[in-house]
Amino acid sequence: MEEAPGEFTQDGTVDLKGNPILRSKRGGWTACSFVVVYEVFERMAYFGISSNLVLYLTNKLHQGTVASANNVTNWVGTVWLTPILGAYVADAHLGRYWTFLIASAIYLSGMCLLTVTVSIPALRAPPCHEVNLADCKHASRLQLAVFYTALYILAIGTGGTKPNISTIGADQFDDFEPKEKTQKLSFFNWWTFSIFFGTLFANTFLVYIQDNVGWSLGYGLPTCGLAISILIFLAGTPFYRHRVPTGSPFTRMSRVIVAAIRKSRIPVPNDPKELYELDAEEYAQNGKYRIDATPSLRFLNKAAVKTGSNDPWMLSSVTQVEETKQMIRMLPVLIATIVPSTMVAQVNTLFVKQGTTLNRALNSFQIPPASLTAFVTLSMLISVVIYDRIFVRIMSKWTKNPRGITLLQRMGMGFVFHILVMVTASLTEMRRLSVAKDHGLVENGGRVPLSILTLLPQFVLMGIADAFLAVAQIEFFYDQAPESMKSLGTSYSTTSLGIGNFFSSFLLSTVSDITERKYHKGWILNNLNDSHLDYYYAFFAVLNLVNLVFFVVVCRFYVYRAEVSDSMEVLKKKQEMLSLTNPNQGRNNEIS
């Protein structure tokens, strides 16, 4: 008995063999459950390494404040930049599923090597308990080489997993089916919830193990967690929907730009129908999307002007032109998110280093400094639930937008919270330095008699900021990317984090060098009691304020991508009808 055509997915998704698939058999929340659970374990693995890395570099390899912080941010920056390569391989050659599996094997091998590295005493510097790390024997080149080789193998592996796993999850919902479109609106909230749930475990249990039991077990457990996560993902294989690779997005965009430049003197016809475009049937047969011409970035429309040549470097279809336009339109937003990404880099570096200078005793329990990052996770988890279940429902009644507010508005609120984070961090550091001075602890770098919980406000505010910015950032770049470039679009958010971490390294080195030469004593020294992190954080607050102004300007000129289907309009009308016919039912069925 044949299935009705409407029961097949309409967005071009197929099974691993390339066959059309029934909506009832694959995809939806059933498939997403494997992806979300995978992410819990994978985040546990990644943050089990990154959260406490700055202290391993300090305590075991004897690196100073600036060196250890920069080595962490350089590595994290690489972790977040390699997804560009992973997105390219997935979109152009192997597809998201196979790219993800190969990258996972590389990722796991890096984790295994790292666990072996921290477990062998010969691969660490000799123990040292000097207050001034300059008096300690530093790690040898061989020890550093082995350790960083393991770290960067891990970074290469994450390059293939990060841009594809969230995209695989989002691909399980059909944009052409209103019910699945509704579910997709909440996917990124719960996706981020899973990320931070795994992070919470890493920042509490694993950090405690590393500080109090040993680094071998502390790194071995997240390695096992990663292996488990890969098995969980594989278990969901029979339920996944897949998209067929559509060729290199970089090549398609390059052809559009080159064709437009080569035909720069040719006028664009006033009627968009005169531009080159493929038949709608051809797009439908290949499971692709046709996009109409838009007036923005009009220069690129020249690439679709017919000149008699069918050379792909001289002629592009309107759809290819519009795809390129959309990726270019998102670049200013990407640039605006770099500064907040730089602020995030401080959490696992300078924020944690601050914690080492304070009283960590809570009755008889010693709080690991890196465990404070758990409060970023907790506040973020609580904020996401409140946002998804309360804020969206209230705002959607007022704005008539199923998301409550636009993605850019949500990001803007995150920008404001980042300013508050740095203002709070600066004021808290001023207090810490004042107490250190009052107790004569400036020169000897002794532990300041102030509870480590004094730092909680800046960590909590960072979690709230992430609930607005981090979630919206991932969803924005996925949602606004053309259908054939979703992996590349998702990599925009990771690119922002990567550049932000490298920018953090640049700022830390530059500010440290300039202030040391100008004031004969830098703002960031190995002895934080003799430093001026309060000035540094105040500088960040001003930088965030300037960046917020830039973001507001970007938002005024941004043009949202047109929906590939009318599902969003269907959802809005459904909301309005429910509210008119049955207010109580409308409240129970609102889109979250």
Side-chain angles (χ1 to χ4, degrees):
M1 182 176 177
E2 293 185 1
E3 297 282 353
E7 294 185 9
F8 288 91
T9 57
Q10 302 174 51
D11 59 356
T13 51
V14 295
D15 62 18
L16 275 177
K17 295 181 180 180
N19 301 316
I21 53 179
L22 293 172
R23 183 178 291 113
S24 60
K25 300 295 184 181
R26 291 173 179 262
W29 281 114
T30 300
C32 274
S33 63
F34 292 92
V35 175
V36 169
V37 173
Y38 159 87
E39 193 64 8
V40 172
F41 283 90
E42 190 277 332
R43 290 294 83 188
M44 180 190 77
Y46 172 72
F47 282 101
I49 302 300
S50 63
S51 296
N52 223 11
L53 183 57
V54 69
L55 295 188
Y56 184 86
L57 295 177
T58 301
N59 298 334
K60 300 300 180 181
L61 300 183
H62 304 157
Q63 296 182 357
T65 298
V66 173
S68 60
N70 282 349
N71 282 327
V72 171
T73 50
N74 287 337
W75 174 69
V76 173
T78 303
V79 166
W80 291 113
L81 281 181
T82 50
I84 298 176
L85 177 62
Y88 164 77
V89 172
D91 283 342
H93 301 291
L94 299 180
R96 291 160 192 164
Y97 179 85
W98 293 112
T99 301
F100 173 83
L101 283 187
I102 294 172
S104 293
I106 298 172
Y107 189 172
L108 184 58
S109 66
M111 290 286 290
C112 290
L113 179 58
L114 193 63
T115 302
V116 171
T117 301
V118 301
S119 301
I120 301 176
L123 293 176
R124 299 193 299 266
C128 178
H129 302 288
E130 297 290 337
V131 174
N132 186 0
L133 289 174
D135 297 332
C136 295
K137 183 178 180 180
H138 291 203
S140 68
R141 291 184 178 181
L142 176 61
Q143 292 168 334
L144 292 175
V146 175
F147 185 76
Y148 286 124
T149 296
L151 277 180
Y152 282 90
I153 288 176
L154 188 160
I156 293 171
T158 59
T161 60
K162 285 184 184 297
N164 292 308
I165 186 62
S166 60
T167 313
I168 289 172
D171 286 346
Q172 306 311 307
F173 302 101
D174 187 349
D175 275 337
F176 289 94
E177 208 287 316
K179 181 180 178 181
E180 292 195 11
K181 180 71 172 183
T182 304
Q183 295 170 335
K184 190 173 183 177
L185 293 179
S186 283
F187 167 72
F188 285 101
N189 283 337
W190 294 105
W191 167 256
T192 308
F193 185 94
S194 71
I195 288 176
F196 284 89
F197 190 79
T199 305
L200 179 62
F201 183 84
N203 291 340
T204 52
F205 181 74
L206 291 180
V207 163
Y208 178 81
I209 292 294
Q210 291 165 2
D211 277 13
N212 296 279
V213 179
W215 292 92
S216 299
L217 183 61
Y219 277 18
L221 288 175
T223 301
C224 292
L226 180 63
I228 293 172
S229 70
I230 296 172
L231 293 175
I232 290 171
F233 176 82
L234 287 171
T237 298
F239 303 99
Y240 298 143
R241 301 174 184 176
H242 305 275
R243 290 190 181 276
V244 178
T246 55
S248 169
F250 296 111
T251 301
R252 295 203 301 277
M253 290 190 293
S254 297
R255 285 173 175 172
V256 170
I257 295 171
V258 169
I261 293 174
R262 292 174 71 177
K263 294 187 285 187
S264 59
R265 296 184 180 180
I266 299 177
V268 177
N270 293 326
D271 186 359
K273 295 181 180 178
E274 295 182 24
L275 298 174
Y276 173 69
E277 181 58 292
L278 302 176
D279 293 333
E281 291 78 13
E282 187 169 343
Y283 285 105
Q285 290 174 0
N286 295 320
K288 297 181 180 179
Y289 300 88
R290 178 173 173 172
I291 308 174
D292 294 330
T294 60
S296 62
L297 297 175
R298 183 177 172 81
F299 174 79
L300 292 178
N301 287 348
K302 293 178 181 290
V305 176
K306 302 172 185 177
T307 59
S309 173
N310 291 326
D311 182 351
W313 293 94
M314 275 292 290
L315 183 65
S316 300
S317 67
V318 170
T319 294
Q320 290 173 330
V321 170
E322 292 303 318
E323 288 175 340
T324 303
K325 284 183 181 180
Q326 192 55 35
M327 297 305 293
I328 292 175
R329 286 192 197 107
M330 292 193 295
L331 288 177
V333 180
L334 168 62
I335 293 170
T337 60
I338 291 174
V339 170
S341 296
T342 303
M343 304 307 106
V344 173
Q346 310 313 307
V347 173
N348 290 329
T349 53
L350 295 182
F351 282 16
V352 172
K353 293 282 284 187
Q354 278 180 284
T356 63
T357 69
L358 298 171
N359 178 17
R360 295 187 280 146
L362 186 62
N363 295 324
S364 60
F365 178 75
Q366 290 291 317
I367 301 175
S371 68
L372 287 183
T373 56
F375 288 95
V376 177
T377 306
L378 283 171
S379 64
M380 195 275 178
L381 289 175
I382 295 171
S383 299
V384 164
V385 173
I386 293 174
Y387 183 92
D388 190 66
R389 292 301 168 191
I390 299 176
F391 182 82
V392 170
R393 296 188 179 199
I394 294 174
M395 293 302 297
S396 62
K397 292 179 182 178
W398 182 37
T399 64
K400 307 303 179 184
N401 184 333
R403 287 191 174 97
I405 57 177
T406 68
L407 293 173
L408 288 178
Q409 288 171 338
R410 183 173 180 176
M411 291 171 68
M413 294 179 72
F415 278 61
V416 172
F417 273 104
H418 274 286
I419 297 174
L420 296 178
V421 169
M422 287 304 150
V423 170
T424 302
S426 179
L427 294 175
T428 301
E429 179 64 6
M430 287 176 62
R431 182 187 175 195
R432 190 190 70 82
L433 291 176
S434 176
V435 173
K437 183 178 180 181
D438 292 342
H439 288 78
L441 301 171
V442 174
E443 297 297 331
N444 62 19
R447 184 162 295 178
V448 179
L450 197 63
S451 173
I452 192 173
L453 298 181
T454 304
L455 300 177
L456 275 187
Q458 63 202 59
F459 284 91
V460 171
L461 285 172
M462 184 64 79
I464 298 173
D466 280 345
F468 284 97
L469 181 56
V471 179
Q473 184 174 320
I474 295 172
E475 184 176 358
F476 174 83
F477 288 123
Y478 175 87
D479 181 79
Q480 294 297 294
E483 297 302 315
S484 62
M485 300 182 182
K486 291 298 188 184
S487 291
L488 180 61
T490 303
S491 73
Y492 269 29
S493 61
T494 62
T495 299
S496 166
L497 289 167
I499 297 175
N501 274 273
F502 283 117
F503 190 44
S504 175
S505 296
F506 169 76
L507 287 177
L508 186 61
S509 297
T510 303
V511 171
S512 177
D513 182 60
I514 291 176
T515 55
E516 186 174 356
R517 285 189 284 107
K518 187 173 182 180
Y519 300 107
H520 306 294
K521 183 188 291 184
W523 284 1
I524 306 100
L525 306 172
N526 292 338
N527 179 3
L528 291 188
N529 292 352
D530 200 22
S531 301
H532 267 297
L533 282 182
D534 53 339
Y535 295 170
Y536 191 55
Y537 291 155
F539 164 70
F540 274 156
V542 173
L543 185 62
N544 273 282
L545 179 60
V546 173
N547 188 66
L548 176 61
V549 174
F550 170 71
F551 179 73
V552 170
V553 174
V554 168
C555 291
R556 289 184 63 86
F557 293 97
Y558 185 77
V559 179
Y560 279 92
R561 180 180 74 93
E563 288 285 334
V564 298
S565 72
D566 63 352
S567 58
M568 284 296 285
E569 291 301 319
V570 170
L571 291 176
K572 289 181 182 179
K573 291 178 181 178
K574 177 182 176 183
Q575 231 181 1
E576 292 171 359
M577 290 298 294
L578 285 170
S579 298
L580 290 173
T581 60
N582 189 338
N584 292 328
Q585 184 180 356
R587 279 193 291 271
N588 294 332
N589 292 279
E590 279 169 6
I591 300 152
S592 56

